[in-house]
């Protein structure tokens, strides 16, 4: 804790330091050299006459109520009266400091959300194919993620993942996954790398994932799933939707992960769709009813944003022209 020293308030500052033994004095000209997230104490007049970034608890005499009001308008964290300090000033300070840090975290969320959006893959031009994507967090940050990259002159690797839980902790793992961009050349290699890292780091989070490798010369796809629900959906002209099911544990639970790769052929006009489970939450009913409604919506409306988003949603759609 720091207090900005002022000569004509030496007695008041001494009283404040007796109430807060860990309080240290600094001069006003030293303030630019300290961490601007540290809470400081200042008399109200100095606070109003100067500019600094640090959160500040201002102190005033009883007759300076109007100055306290101005200080609050200017952004003071709190206002105390010199000779009427809180009964437990140390506890009050801790609460104010905690409140400030929480508010700062909240203010940082929009910037963090913009950064997460910028980390999503850039559109790729693929001969004879189109990749569509939909990404919408329930709040600021998402625990869903997808990525894709060109492996060679005729193959694209793509995946969609869903981190268990919500909020900042889950979104941190999406940033971690973004670091694997371009570092795998097959679904099995990507799954193995991600799983081994998660287990080794004891991340205490599991991730479901569905991944595919498209050969856009032969129109064949090799794909696999690590405990992901809902399963991939294959839409083909003139045919009933195909639900591509397989079984496996999610990533991060065991180093002995058993994954089976599957194969499919993309006919002209076919669409392969990966979704996170949040895509189901916009629909009513049980899982089967929700899944059926999701398929119908994808068939008729495509990747139309839902009106209400109770959960993170990510959808990746690969279409053959």
């Amino acid at each position: 804790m720091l207090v900005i020293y002022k000569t004509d308030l030496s007695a008041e500052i001494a009283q404040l330091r007796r109430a807060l033994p860990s309080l240290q004095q600094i001069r006003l000209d030293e303030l630019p050299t300290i961490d601007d997230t540290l809470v400081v104490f200042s008399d109200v007049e100095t606070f109003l006459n100067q500019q600094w970034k640090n959160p500040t608890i201002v102190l005033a005499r009883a007759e300076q109520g109007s100055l306290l009001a101005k200080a609050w308008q200017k952004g003071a964290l709190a206002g105390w009266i010199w000779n009427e300090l809180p009964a437990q000033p140390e506890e009050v300070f801790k609460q104010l400091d905690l409140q400030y840090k929480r508010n700062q975290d909240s203010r940082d969320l929009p910037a963090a959300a913009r950064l997460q959006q910028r980390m999503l893959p850039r559109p790729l031009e693929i001969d004879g194919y189109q990749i569509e994507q939909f990404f919408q967090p329930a709040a600021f940050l998402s625990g869903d993620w997808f990525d894709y990259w060109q492996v060679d002159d005729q193959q694209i690797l793509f995946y969609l993942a869903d981190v268990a839980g919500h909020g900042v902790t889950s979104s941190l793992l999406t940033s971690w996954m973004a670091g694997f961009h371009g570092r795998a050349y097959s679904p099995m290699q990507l799954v193995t790398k991600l799983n081994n890292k998660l287990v080794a780091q004891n991340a205490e989070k599991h991730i479901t994932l569905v991944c595919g490798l498209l050969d856009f010369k032969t129109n064949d796809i090799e794909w696999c799933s690590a405990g992901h629900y809902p399963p991939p959906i294959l839409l083909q002209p003139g045919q009933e939707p195909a639900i591509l099911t397989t079984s496996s544990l999610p990533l991060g639970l065991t180093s002995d992960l058993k994954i089976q790769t599957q194969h499919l052929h993309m006919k002209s006009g076919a669409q392969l769709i990966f979704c996170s489970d949040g895509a189901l939450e916009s629909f009513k009913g049980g899982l089967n009813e929700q899944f059926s409604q999701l398929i119908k919506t994808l068939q008729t409306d495509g990747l139309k944003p839902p009106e209400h988003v109770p959960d993170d949603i990510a959808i990746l759609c690969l279409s053959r022209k």
Side-chain angles (χ1 to χ4, degrees):
M1 286 183 282
L2 302 170
V3 60
I4 298 172
Y5 182 73
K6 195 174 181 184
T7 306
D8 60 349
L9 291 172
S10 57
E12 287 87 345
I13 291 174
Q15 177 189 355
L16 182 64
R17 294 186 69 188
R18 285 193 293 272
L20 297 167
S22 59
L23 192 65
Q24 298 180 13
Q25 295 180 171
I26 62 167
R27 299 189 311 272
L28 183 60
D29 60 3
E30 294 177 305
L31 194 56
T33 67
I34 70 168
D35 182 351
D36 62 15
T37 65
L38 291 177
V39 178
V40 299
F41 290 86
S42 169
D43 71 281
V44 67
E45 291 178 333
T46 300
F47 177 78
L48 290 173
N49 291 331
Q50 304 292 331
Q51 296 286 331
W52 59 71
K53 294 182 179 180
N54 294 72
T56 306
I57 298 173
V58 296
L59 294 115
R61 296 187 175 91
E63 64 272 15
Q64 292 179 311
S66 61
L67 294 183
L68 274 182
K70 290 181 181 179
W72 281 321
Q73 291 175 356
K74 193 177 177 181
L77 189 61
W80 293 1
I81 302 299
W82 281 112
N83 59 356
E84 297 178 17
L85 298 178
Q88 295 180 306
E90 193 93 33
E91 287 302 313
V92 174
F93 173 83
K94 288 179 181 178
Q95 290 299 318
L96 289 169
D97 187 43
L98 181 60
Q99 174 188 325
Y100 170 76
K101 288 180 169 60
R102 285 175 176 167
N103 289 341
Q104 284 300 107
D105 289 343
S106 297
R107 292 190 189 103
D108 287 343
L109 286 175
R114 290 192 294 271
L115 177 60
Q116 187 180 50
Q117 291 275 353
R118 288 198 296 270
M119 292 171 66
L120 290 168
R122 296 179 180 178
L124 280 178
E125 293 291 333
I126 310 172
D127 187 26
Y129 282 86
Q130 179 183 10
I131 295 180
E132 297 177 89
Q133 58 197 50
F134 179 78
F135 181 82
Q136 188 165 336
F140 285 102
L141 297 170
S142 177
D144 295 345
W145 191 248
F146 54 74
D147 201 356
Y148 46 81
W149 57 87
Q150 193 155 343
V151 171
D152 54 33
D153 60 359
Q154 70 177 60
Q155 292 182 311
I156 298 290
L157 189 71
F158 56 101
Y159 75 86
L160 184 143
D162 188 347
V163 182
H166 302 89
V168 175
T169 305
S170 296
S171 70
L172 285 174
L173 278 180
T174 68
S175 301
W176 173 78
M177 282 188 288
F180 284 82
H181 179 89
R183 292 171 57 189
Y185 307 100
S186 72
M188 187 63 73
Q189 186 182 36
L190 177 65
V191 165
T192 301
K193 282 187 173 184
L194 289 171
N195 186 66
N196 288 347
K197 282 288 187 181
L198 279 172
V199 172
Q201 294 175 359
N202 191 25
E204 298 183 352
K205 284 274 188 182
H206 69 264
I207 299 174
T208 70
L209 176 142
V210 59
C211 178
L213 178 69
L214 166 69
D215 186 318
F216 50 87
K217 301 295 185 184
T218 66
N219 302 305
D220 293 324
I221 291 179
E222 176 188 351
W223 69 276
C224 66
S225 173
H228 190 77
Y229 189 86
I233 303 163
L234 180 63
L235 303 179
Q236 301 190 89
Q239 297 185 26
E240 289 295 313
I243 312 306
L244 309 179
T245 58
T246 185
S247 61
S248 166
L249 291 173
L251 306 177
L253 296 181
T254 175
S255 58
D256 188 28
L257 184 65
K258 300 292 192 295
I259 295 286
Q260 289 185 334
T261 56
Q262 311 284 332
H263 295 83
L264 63 91
H265 182 74
M266 292 286 284
K267 297 179 180 179
S268 181
Q271 292 180 300
L272 178 63
I273 304 170
F274 294 168
C275 302
S276 66
D277 60 2
L280 302 172
E281 297 295 328
S282 300
F283 304 103
K284 297 179 180 179
L287 282 178
N288 290 336
E289 291 84 359
Q290 289 176 320
F291 192 41
S292 297
Q293 292 175 71
L294 171 64
I295 293 172
K296 289 179 182 178
T297 300
L298 290 171
Q299 286 179 296
T300 57
D301 298 334
L303 306 188
K304 182 181 178 181
E307 294 180 1
H308 176 57
V309 183
D311 193 3
D312 301 331
I313 299 177
I315 304 175
L316 195 61
C317 177
L318 178 69
S319 304
R320 183 180 173 190
K321 298 175 183 177

